[in-house]
Amino acid sequence: MPQATYHFPEGFVWGSATAAHQVEGSNNNNDWADWETRDGHIEENGRCDLSCDWWNGRWREDLDRAAESGQTSHRLSLEWSRIQPTPDRWDENALDRYRTILQGMIERGLQPLVTLHHFTLPRWFAEGGGWENDDSPLLFDTYVRRTVTALKEYNNCWVTINEPNVIIYRGYMEGAFPPGKNDPGAAFHALCNLVRSHAIAYHTIHEVQPRAQVGMAHQYRGFIPAHKFSPLDAAVTAFNHQSFNKVFPRALADGRVRFLHKSTRLPAAAGTQDFFGLNYYTCDIVAFRPSPKNLFQARWYPPEAEPSRTGFNASYPPGMTMALNWANSYHLPILITENGIEDSQDGLRRRYLLSHLHQVWHALNHNMPIRGYYHWSLIDNFEWERGWTLQFGLWAFDRETQVRTARPSADLYAAICKENAISHAMVKEFSPAMLPDLFPG
Ligand code: BGC
């Protein structure tokens, strides 16, 4: 009997994503290196240390794995503190090393997608006030100009800033990331400077490299009211959607920043994205609570969601469709710049991959301009305030021995990338319990 196959469009980009601080190791010159030394900031007092040792060359073996498994692109980030270790010093050796890595990617058939800032700041920049310093957009722009000029031969697709909404929430509202604040005023100040920094970098990159494609990577978290007809649940849901999901993309579309009760105009930011970078992980149900604690709300995963072992995130595939519908309202080509789940056992990850990619396939069939998908992550790596306690990799990683081991998901993802499709045979081999859902009848 012929079996159905979900085909993806020709030329669809398949990749995985990493970030400099999470995989490179051997760097002591950024704000996270300091943050990690203070007790209680990182689970089990984890430190990044050598991490996956990409800085000393192990990027080669990991990117071999990516290329051999049919991926056609890789998203990585550059570590600003290596390129500009002090305000007046540029490290040409660091830029050379990044040139070698990008060239190595191209030689392996992996088209680079480069993020210029993924959470970590040079120590000098953080000590100078970080994103609250009103010179920060100009300082960021100087780094961007120098770096893009140096690397433009190897890359033309840039993410300026990864998840600025996460930087604001985790760093300035919850205090789980540096600078560890709980201060809405500081959050708004930093937020406006992040928007300005992106906008100025967008124009600089186009000046240096007129054919460049430039965007941001926005994290979308789905928010669903607990009671459909409750105006209070609807109000807190809309508040979350505005202040977490919409604040940055709207500012980059129309030049107006709206956050909590504040709003300001930054006209230079309008129209500064060539593509929409979308990071999607999970969704929350939201209910109003009559107490200022937690911004007048309680949140939990939808009952149909499948939480990870630690509860850090949960698989909720309809959220991928919500995320894509929302991203598509910005009328730009979409790149899914991150999507994944932590799962050391890997059963959940296989289900997550198949069910989320199935939603992507549906969206493509509704003519959504989705150009590619990057799985987070290629290999287990340093997971910020969770240290080494969460495993997001297609490849498992042993820190003691530096040994990498393919999880079944690595083979499943390789089959999908190579066939540019999800087939009945793949589901049967890797997650047979999903057959009735994915191939009914
Ligand atoms: C970040 C990654 C992180 C991942 C999983 C994303 O928000 O961009 O750096 O590792 O989530 O938590």
Side-chain angles (χ1 to χ4, degrees):
M1 194 176 102
Q3 304 287 5
T5 296
Y6 298 112
H7 292 282
F8 284 74
E10 210 183 307
F12 190 78
V13 174
W14 292 107
S16 51
T18 54
H21 188 72
Q22 294 180 270
V23 293
E24 285 180 356
S26 316
N27 182 18
N28 213 9
N29 200 24
N30 63 28
D31 55 346
W32 270 87
D34 289 339
W35 189 249
E36 289 157 31
T37 60
R38 293 187 214 134
D39 263 4
H41 281 164
I42 314 290
E43 217 160 294
E44 298 177 355
N45 287 323
R47 301 267 172 92
C48 181
D49 287 338
L50 197 57
S51 193
C52 308
D53 202 21
W54 277 29
W55 196 244
N56 293 316
R58 286 191 205 257
W59 61 269
R60 291 191 175 82
E61 53 167 300
D62 289 330
L63 294 182
D64 280 346
R65 293 182 173 96
E68 282 158 15
S69 57
Q71 297 180 32
T72 53
S73 181
H74 185 76
R75 175 178 173 225
L76 51 61
S77 76
L78 308 176
E79 178 57 42
W80 180 1
S81 65
R82 292 194 196 277
I83 294 172
Q84 192 180 8
T86 58
D88 49 7
R89 194 164 84 78
W90 298 92
D91 188 337
E92 290 304 325
N93 292 331
L95 282 169
D96 270 349
R97 199 162 313 185
Y98 282 126
R99 258 186 219 108
T100 309
I101 297 175
L102 294 177
Q103 196 173 10
M105 286 167 67
I106 294 163
E107 284 162 8
R108 286 166 175 76
L110 296 168
Q111 176 195 318
L113 167 59
V114 174
T115 304
L116 287 152
H117 169 61
H118 194 128
F119 294 169
T120 48
L121 294 172
R123 178 175 292 116
W124 61 265
F125 181 94
E127 286 175 355
W131 297 114
E132 286 171 85
N133 177 347
D134 289 332
D135 286 337
S136 56
L138 287 176
L139 295 169
F140 183 62
D141 187 50
T142 308
Y143 153 68
V144 169
R145 181 180 291 279
R146 184 89 179 211
T147 303
V148 173
T149 305
L151 302 177
K152 66 179 180 194
E153 203 184 314
Y154 305 95
N155 182 57
N156 67 358
C157 196
W158 305 91
V159 168
T160 53
I161 298 172
N162 180 69
E163 297 184 344
N165 53 347
V166 172
I167 298 176
I168 292 304
Y169 266 87
R170 311 240 62 203
Y172 294 87
M173 299 287 285
E174 297 167 357
F177 279 15
K181 295 196 174 178
N182 195 317
D183 177 350
F188 186 72
H189 192 172
L191 191 166
C192 291
N193 280 332
L194 280 162
V195 171
R196 288 188 187 98
S197 299
H198 164 84
I200 191 167
Y202 176 89
H203 293 296
T204 293
I205 298 170
H206 278 288
E207 193 191 310
V208 173
Q209 193 183 33
R211 291 161 62 94
Q213 292 291 300
V214 184
M216 255 194 186
H218 302 282
Q219 185 181 127
Y220 170 89
R221 191 158 180 126
F223 299 111
I224 304 165
H227 303 97
K228 229 179 16 205
F229 300 111
S230 152
L232 291 172
D233 289 357
V236 277
T237 303
F239 168 83
N240 287 356
H241 187 47
Q242 166 57 39
S243 53
F244 188 78
N245 293 327
K246 283 162 77 174
V247 56
F248 281 92
R250 276 187 76 175
L252 308 193
D254 65 10
R256 182 175 279 284
V257 182
R258 308 154 180 90
F259 184 67
L260 308 179
H261 58 284
K262 291 193 171 174
S263 155
T264 192
R265 282 189 52 71
L266 297 175
T272 56
Q273 289 195 104
D274 302 323
F275 63 88
F276 195 101
L278 174 67
N279 294 358
Y280 168 70
Y281 286 89
T282 198
C283 281
D284 288 327
I285 303 285
V286 187
F288 173 78
R289 291 286 181 266
S291 128
K293 209 175 134 227
N294 301 325
L295 299 169
F296 293 97
Q297 58 185 274
R299 301 205 319 230
W300 60 91
Y301 292 132
E304 320 84 289
E306 193 182 350
S308 66
R309 187 181 45 86
T310 63
F312 180 77
N313 62 358
S315 175
Y316 186 67
M320 176 61 99
T321 300
M322 290 164 62
L324 287 167
N325 282 334
W326 168 75
N328 199 31
S329 68
Y330 290 91
H331 307 294
L332 291 165
I334 299 169
L335 273 180
I336 301 168
T337 34
E338 285 180 34
N339 174 241
I341 193 148
E342 59 96 9
D343 177 23
S344 57
Q345 307 301 308
D346 202 56
L348 175 57
R349 182 178 293 101
R350 280 179 268 165
R351 295 192 286 285
Y352 187 99
L353 246 179
L354 286 166
S355 54
H356 284 71
L357 286 175
H358 186 226
Q359 302 281 320
V360 175
W361 177 87
H362 265 291
L364 283 161
N365 279 276
H366 285 92
N367 288 327
M368 259 190 223
I370 309 165
R371 305 289 185 244
Y373 172 89
Y374 292 83
H375 190 75
W376 185 275
S377 181
L378 178 59
I379 177 170
D380 293 343
N381 55 50
F382 179 74
E383 183 48 45
W384 307 114
E385 86 285 11
R386 299 296 183 120
W388 292 98
T389 63
L390 302 182
Q391 287 80 34
F392 272 92
L394 294 168
W395 269 263
F397 168 63
D398 182 330
R399 284 178 73 212
E400 302 300 315
T401 59
Q402 286 284 329
V403 168
R404 283 87 165 137
T405 310
R407 296 198 165 103
S409 287
D411 297 332
L412 167 61
Y413 192 49
I416 295 171
C417 298
K418 285 179 183 167
E419 284 193 33
N420 198 28
I422 300 173
S423 71
H424 186 278
M426 289 173 201
V427 180
K428 194 168 169 199
E429 179 179 352
F430 289 99
S431 202
M434 293 180 79
L435 278 174
D437 273 351
L438 288 183
F439 295 98

